[in-house]
Amino acid sequence: LFPYTTRFRAALPEISVRAPGRDSGGPVVDVHGELPAGGPVLLLVHGYANSATAARESWAAFLEGVASARIGGWMPQNPTGVQWPGDEPIVVVNQAAYPAKIGVSRDSARRIDTFLRAACSGTAAPPIVLSIVAHSLGCRLVAELLECLSQPPAHRVIVDRVVLMAAAVPTNQVDRGKPLRQGVEWAGGVDALYSVGDDVL
């Protein structure tokens, strides 16, 4: 089984639209990093106000929790982090920057869409099969990504299952006929987890 230990915190593969070398903030850039080869990939997308370091800690804790609770020895294949600049280095600015980060999540989604399509282009390239787990404003990035992937031209990216936790996506954006509905219907299945006691998310 995959070694989910503290050593794993530095070993999780990543794709990133953060500027190389930046832990917080910065512009959205073209994707750097690679998806693992050989089998389906589980993408883990962090939420708002997470630095690159904080995101890695969250992913490690999540995977260690999965490992401790696994049933029948099942473990996710090829977990891979998705880094995007949904935060700012200064805490006070971070708290006020939320509206601007919606646009950042959209731009990040478009860059990842371009990357995924290119990664499985050509007749010899195998399809890319993804599952996705996302949190907070990372769920908006995922909803925007699904919308991009649902559009022509045709490609060989398959999104099998999506789990959104405390999704920062207005429900009126995914209603029938609304901007993000087609992407949600295109994916193999979408589950939204939330607390009924949370009036915001």
Side-chain angles (χ1 to χ4, degrees):
L1 294 177
F2 205 90
Y4 289 86
T5 67
T6 53
R7 292 178 300 163
F8 177 64
R9 294 172 187 266
L12 186 69
E14 293 180 357
I15 60 172
S16 178
V17 291
R18 291 184 187 270
R22 290 199 67 124
D23 191 55
S24 296
V28 178
V29 301
D30 289 339
V31 174
H32 50 101
E34 295 182 358
L35 294 175
V41 174
L42 171 64
L43 294 182
L44 303 174
V45 186
H46 66 81
Y48 173 65
N50 280 189
S51 67
T53 299
R56 292 180 186 119
E57 290 293 318
S58 295
W59 297 331
F62 171 77
L63 291 169
E64 287 163 5
V66 170
S68 66
R70 68 181 184 268
I71 298 173
W74 178 88
M75 291 297 296
Q77 283 188 277
N78 297 320
T80 302
V82 177
Q83 293 277 6
W84 64 285
D87 66 317
E88 294 294 336
I90 302 172
V91 174
V92 175
V93 176
N94 220 358
Q95 293 172 346
Y98 182 88
K101 294 303 179 182
I102 296 173
V104 171
S105 71
R106 185 177 299 116
D107 189 11
S108 298
R110 291 170 180 160
R111 308 266 184 140
I112 296 169
D113 170 66
T114 299
F115 166 79
L116 291 173
R117 289 171 182 265
C120 59
S121 63
T123 56
I128 295 173
V129 180
L130 302 174
S131 295
I132 306 174
V133 175
H135 176 249
S136 178
L137 196 57
C139 298
R140 180 59 179 263
L141 186 160
V142 170
E144 297 282 355
L145 174 60
L146 296 178
E147 189 63 27
C148 289
L149 289 169
S150 73
Q151 303 295 327
H155 55 78
R156 290 188 292 166
V157 180
I158 300 166
V159 177
D160 180 54
R161 175 64 60 177
V162 178
V163 177
L164 307 177
M165 300 184 294
V169 182
T171 54
N172 62 9
Q173 295 293 299
V174 293
D175 288 339
R176 293 194 182 279
K178 296 300 182 178
L180 299 178
R181 180 68 183 202
Q182 181 171 311
V184 169
E185 292 183 335
W186 173 83
V190 178
D191 295 307
L193 307 180
Y194 63 95
S195 169
V196 294
D198 188 336
D199 293 332
V200 177
L201 300 177

